[in-house]
Amino acid sequence: MSSEAVRREIVQYLPRLWRYGLVLSHRRDIADDLVQATCVRALERAAQFTAGSRMDSWLFSILHSVWLNEVRAQLIRRGQGFVDVDELSGAGNSEDPVWSNEVIRRVNRLPEAQRNAVFLVYVEELSYREAAAVLDVPVGTVMSRLATARLTLARDSALQPEAPPRKGERS
C-alpha cells in the first residue's frame, strides 16, 4: 500500500489510537506524542501493510511498539529497571459519571498486561488473535490475561467495605 493510501486511511483511526495511547501512558500529552510517532512510522512503512488485513490492528501494533521503545528509553535515561505507572498517570476527567470513574479505577488497578488486553479486546473490539498480534504474545496468553482480569474485576466488584472491628476484636 502506498503512503498516500495509508495517509487517507489513517485519519479515521486517530481517535482510537489516541485512546490506546492514553490507556498505555495515562497522560494526554504522551498519548499525543505516541499517536504522532505511530503515524510517522506507519507512513514510513506503508509498504509493509498487508492489503486485506485490518489497518487498526497494524496501527495498534505500531503504537504498542513505540510505547515499549519509550519505556525502554526512560529506563535507560533513569538508570532504573522499573517505571512506576503511577508516575505517568494524569488527572481524570471530573465530568465523567461516577460509575465510569469507578470502572476505570478498577481496570487501572489491573497489571499492565491485563489492562492492555482488556482495552484491545473489550474497548477496541479486536479479536483475541488480533490482540495477540498487537501485544506480540500467543493467543492463549491473551485469553489467560482476559480470564484473570475478569476474575479480578468480578472479585473487586463483589467486595463490600468491611465494618471496622468492634472493641476487643482483633483486626
Side-chain angles (χ1 to χ4, degrees), residues 15-26:
R16 293 175 62 200
L17 289 171
W18 187 83
R19 191 169 50 210
Y20 186 43
L22 190 59
V23 164
L24 292 173
S25 68
H26 298 270

Side-chain angles (χ1 to χ4, degrees), residues 30-49:
I30 293 173
D32 290 341
D33 293 344
L34 288 171
V35 171
Q36 181 178 6
T38 298
C39 291
V40 168
R41 189 170 294 173
L43 292 171
E44 291 171 347
R45 298 177 182 173
Q48 294 177 1
F49 178 72

Side-chain angles (χ1 to χ4, degrees), residues 65-141:
S65 175
V66 168
W67 170 247
L68 291 178
N69 290 341
E70 176 58 30
V71 169
R72 286 185 196 112
Q74 285 181 14
L75 292 174
I76 291 167
R77 283 193 298 268
R78 292 181 182 186
Q80 298 174 335
F82 179 76
V83 175
D84 188 358
V85 79
D86 291 336
E87 292 178 28
L88 299 176
S89 66
N93 183 347
S94 62
E95 297 176 2
D96 287 345
V98 171
W99 63 269
S100 178
N101 286 338
E102 181 63 18
V103 168
I104 291 168
R105 187 180 61 74
R106 288 178 182 178
V107 170
N108 279 337
R109 284 197 310 239
L110 293 171
E112 183 177 4
Q114 291 175 21
R115 192 172 56 241
N116 292 343
V118 165
F119 176 81
L120 291 171
V121 171
Y122 296 121
V123 176
E124 290 302 331
E125 299 178 346
L126 297 185
S127 69
Y128 290 174
R129 184 177 314 275
E130 292 164 337
V134 168
L135 299 171
D136 196 26
V137 298
V139 173
T141 301

